[in-house]
Amino acid sequence: MTFPRIGVIGGGQLARMLAPAAEALGIRFSVLAETADAPATQVISEVTVGDYTDFATLKAFAETVDVVTFDHEHVPPEHLRALAEAGHAIRPGPQALIFAQDKILMRRRMDDLGLPNPAWAEITSRSDIEGFAERVGYPFILKTPRGGYDGKGVRVIDDVDEAAAWLDEVGQLLAEEKVDFTRELAVMVGRSPMGQTAVWPVVETWQQDGVCKEAIAPAPGLAAEKATEITEAILKVAGALEVTGVMAMELFETPEGFLINEFAMRPHNTGHWTQDGAVTSQFEQHLRAVLDLPLGSPAAREDVSAMVNVLGAEHEDLYHPYLHVMAHDPAVKVHLYGKGVRPGRKVGHVNAYGQDVDLVLARARHAADYIAGVDPDPHPKLPSPADLDANANSATDPA
Ligand code: ADP
């Protein structure tokens, strides 16, 4: 058996969704999971349960695999460096991953690379806060440089006392201007150790309370020159940091161009649409990239794809709504993660695709929200084929 073995640190939904790609490619695959019932442990037979912050646990796991990769960015950087120095193939490597782990180091590096950042400052004292407020005015954004996810660790700041109280608790913060963006965008690349790259189309994203809720591919109405600039930017970062695997870059679109928000160096929520909407999914590409195999085509298979997250809401039972969702729209694709429901928790997503962006998005929203049990009132009515015909007719009929 010459097929290599990949070890994934973290047993969340991203590790779980790597499994079908590994199975198809015949890649052996094991997981170091936090708990015995983590999402990936339900579908992967080779599971070690252990603490990813403990070096001895990481080392013992790394010994059993050919390549180590990740479901999250929370493994301590010093452990990753020690594993790499001991000769383990850590992909992405610690020299790249640090820029997804530490937002201050990331901002500094983006400035060095000449890429567009929001105004920012490292904050370690009350006078840093006052200085930044003088520069950009209130409100501005404060973030914990490390350990944040899904908007946890991001606050809008209206006065110095509030910021100083938080600084006292955590010791170091990243301040950013509050960007008046027109919308949020994201782009993903796969890059292999040999330096091959493949970039998927730029997507539009929407975050609800700091949590990704929707992604539309390609980003509707994005000018071709802007899409090219964004593609060039992610290629520049991936090359400069020698990223291996897939990487996501989140962006703010502004009237003048775009500003970089942050990076993830692993499969990412804004790339879930690729499971059903692209020739190569981000999960397959991640495996190919970390194994230094030739990459798959990132081309879209559909005119429009939409991904809407199932965020925990009214329903504990997510299975019963399948009856309606599947009967109502046999073309939507449901992906659930085997997680218990808590309010706002990401428990799954739905992909839909087709030609008309409003209709595709409405279909994905309807299915995702129906499964979660979200009150459908805030969403637009699902257009029926008859409505669409009527619109088409009124648009072409001058009478
Ligand atoms: P996390 O690492 O928790 O995902 P992010 O830094 O991506 O945190 O921030 C979460 C969300 O908060 C962003 O998607 C965006 O909607 C908002 N946000 C973050 N930084 C800024 C900023 N500088 N200006 C305006 N909105 C921001």
Side-chain angles (χ1 to χ4, degrees), residues 161 259 281-282:
D161 290 333
L259 298 169
S281 82
Q282 60 166 342

Side-chain angles (χ1 to χ4, degrees), residues 390-398:
N391 285 338
N393 289 342
S394 61
T396 51
D397 181 356

Side-chain angles (χ1 to χ4, degrees), residues 315 317-332 334 350 362-374 376 382:
H315 295 163
D317 164 24
L318 302 178
Y319 184 67
H320 191 68
Y322 274 7
L323 280 174
H324 165 80
V325 162
M326 291 178 186
H328 181 75
D329 189 343
V332 294
V334 178
V350 172
R363 287 170 45 217
R365 278 179 179 164
H366 176 77
D369 288 352
Y370 194 89
I371 293 170
V374 173
L382 182 67

Side-chain angles (χ1 to χ4, degrees), residues 48-360:
T48 307
V49 176
D51 177 4
Y52 59 78
T53 65
D54 174 58
F55 183 71
T57 303
L58 290 170
K59 176 77 177 144
F61 180 69
E63 301 285 354
T64 65
V65 300
D66 299 297
V67 172
V68 174
T69 189
F70 307 94
D71 161 277
H72 59 69
E73 280 119 9
H74 307 311
V75 181
E78 62 278 14
H79 293 350
L80 295 177
R81 284 195 297 272
L83 289 174
E85 277 159 22
H88 295 287
I90 307 295
R91 298 186 180 154
Q95 87 295 338
L97 206 50
I98 193 68
F99 298 102
Q101 292 178 312
D102 188 316
K103 291 177 181 175
I104 290 177
L105 296 182
M106 179 273 291
R107 286 272 170 251
R108 201 169 287 144
R109 191 67 198 260
M110 292 308 107
D111 279 351
D112 291 347
L113 290 172
L115 290 169
N117 262 336
W120 67 277
E122 180 181 356
I123 303 291
T124 54
S125 68
R126 190 180 174 97
S127 67
D128 290 342
I129 301 168
E130 287 162 350
F132 192 72
E134 246 165 60
R135 202 171 129 203
V136 305
Y138 290 104
F140 62 86
I141 303 279
L142 275 183
K143 301 182 177 182
T144 50
R146 293 190 179 205
Y149 65 98
D150 286 350
K152 297 174 182 56
V154 176
R155 293 190 197 170
V156 180
I157 297 298
D158 293 300
D159 74 72
V160 66
D161 290 333
E162 182 190 356
W166 196 20
L167 182 64
D168 281 346
E169 275 170 50
V170 294
Q172 183 203 34
L173 286 163
L174 167 65
E176 294 178 359
E177 70 177 292
K178 186 168 184 298
V179 178
D180 190 14
F181 52 79
T182 44
R183 59 179 169 172
E184 293 187 70
L185 301 172
V187 63
M188 291 194 69
V189 65
R191 184 178 180 280
S192 60
M194 72 170 108
Q196 191 190 1
T197 51
V199 183
W200 285 275
V202 179
V203 302
E204 174 176 331
T205 69
W206 179 60
Q207 337 290 319
Q208 186 177 43
D209 304 324
V211 180
C212 176
K213 173 73 179 176
E214 299 180 350
I216 308 168
L222 185 69
E225 314 81 72
K226 219 177 213 181
T228 303
E229 272 175 51
I230 290 170
T231 301
E232 284 169 356
I234 195 169
L235 286 171
K236 186 170 184 178
V237 174
L241 305 184
E242 298 185 25
V243 172
T244 48
V246 299
M247 172 174 82
M249 178 167 85
E250 295 184 66
L251 306 154
F252 302 121
E253 186 181 37
T254 64
E256 299 76 38
F258 65 90
L259 298 169
I260 290 173
N261 177 20
E262 63 166 349
F263 296 93
M265 293 181 196
R266 50 170 169 75
H268 191 248
N269 202 163
T270 61
H272 290 350
W273 68 274
T274 62
Q275 287 173 304
D276 300 295
V279 175
T280 309
S281 82
Q282 60 166 342
F283 299 102
E284 177 179 346
Q285 198 78 301
H286 189 67
L287 299 177
R288 289 165 79 140
V290 301
L291 291 173
D292 213 8
L293 290 168
L295 299 182
S297 163
R301 276 201 300 224
E302 309 290 342
D303 292 347
V304 180
S305 297
M307 184 284 320
V308 176
N309 273 343
V310 181
L311 301 179
E314 291 296 315
H315 295 163
E316 291 270 324
D317 164 24
L318 302 178
Y319 184 67
H320 191 68
Y322 274 7
L323 280 174
H324 165 80
V325 162
M326 291 178 186
H328 181 75
D329 189 343
V332 294
K333 295 292 174 191
V334 178
H335 300 261
L336 288 193
Y337 310 151
K339 286 160 89 169
V341 175
R342 286 203 299 266
R345 188 182 200 198
K346 288 179 186 171
V347 290
H349 66 273
V350 172
N351 287 334
Y353 42 82
Q355 281 82 47
D356 177 281
V357 68
D358 293 335
L359 180 56
V360 170

